[in-house]
Amino acid sequence: MTASHSSAGRYILTSVALFTAIAPFVADFNTTHIYNPSWPAHAKFHNGQTMSMGVFLGLSTLYYTWRTPATPDTLFTATMLATAYYITLLSSWFYPGAKPGPEDSPDDFSQLWPSLGIFALSAGAHVLERKRIRGMKTE
């Protein structure tokens, strides 16, 4: 097996993992969310849970992305972990009274486009990495 451990697929999943771990803090660790004086303590509790979940999923994605030996199962796990935050983010639209953007904005799709981008990147990374893993088995 002479195939490189590095690949475009792994680097893309790594980028998704880092984004997932950092972006919730960039978006929520401010006066509109965690420091919002009008938010009740329980809402802040769940906001903290969400930010911590991003870190956990990002680190877990990194672990399975770079775990050796690379297998289709570890790749599938990495891809599922990479997209889990965004699947749950999009499902939030369906809860009563939930709104993805500021209260004063019309229908806001600002959460939709990054989530779809993450899905596309993760799917592309999965395909690239799957090809690399298959290539390792034939050498």
Side-chain angles (χ1 to χ4, degrees):
M1 281 190 226
T2 60
S4 171
H5 290 276
S6 300
S7 70
R10 278 185 161 175
Y11 289 127
I12 293 168
L13 283 175
T14 297
S15 298
V16 169
L18 294 174
F19 180 81
T20 301
I22 296 167
F25 286 89
V26 172
D28 294 354
F29 211 79
N30 56 47
T31 57
T32 65
H33 286 73
I34 202 73
Y35 289 116
N36 188 335
S38 65
W39 274 29
H42 191 68
K44 292 179 182 188
F45 171 85
H46 282 292
N47 187 217
Q49 176 189 14
T50 302
M51 290 185 290
S52 295
M53 182 177 61
V55 171
F56 174 79
L57 290 169
L59 292 175
S60 298
T61 298
L62 287 174
Y63 173 78
Y64 282 99
T65 297
W66 291 97
R67 185 175 176 188
T68 57
T71 67
D73 286 341
T74 58
L75 173 60
F76 179 78
T77 301
T79 306
M80 290 304 296
L81 289 166
T83 58
Y85 189 89
Y86 307 95
I87 291 168
T88 59
L89 179 92
L90 293 175
S91 74
S92 300
W93 285 31
F94 300 103
Y95 287 91
K99 191 171 191 290
E103 293 303 319
D104 59 349
S105 71
D107 290 333
D108 179 15
F109 294 98
S110 64
Q111 304 289 329
L112 177 65
W113 304 120
S115 296
L116 292 177
I118 293 293
F119 290 135
L121 284 171
S122 298
H126 186 91
V127 169
L128 290 171
E129 187 62 8
R130 183 114 182 160
K131 286 180 183 179
R132 184 185 76 82
I133 291 169
R134 283 189 182 144
M136 288 174 58
K137 290 181 179 181
T138 59
E139 292 180 357

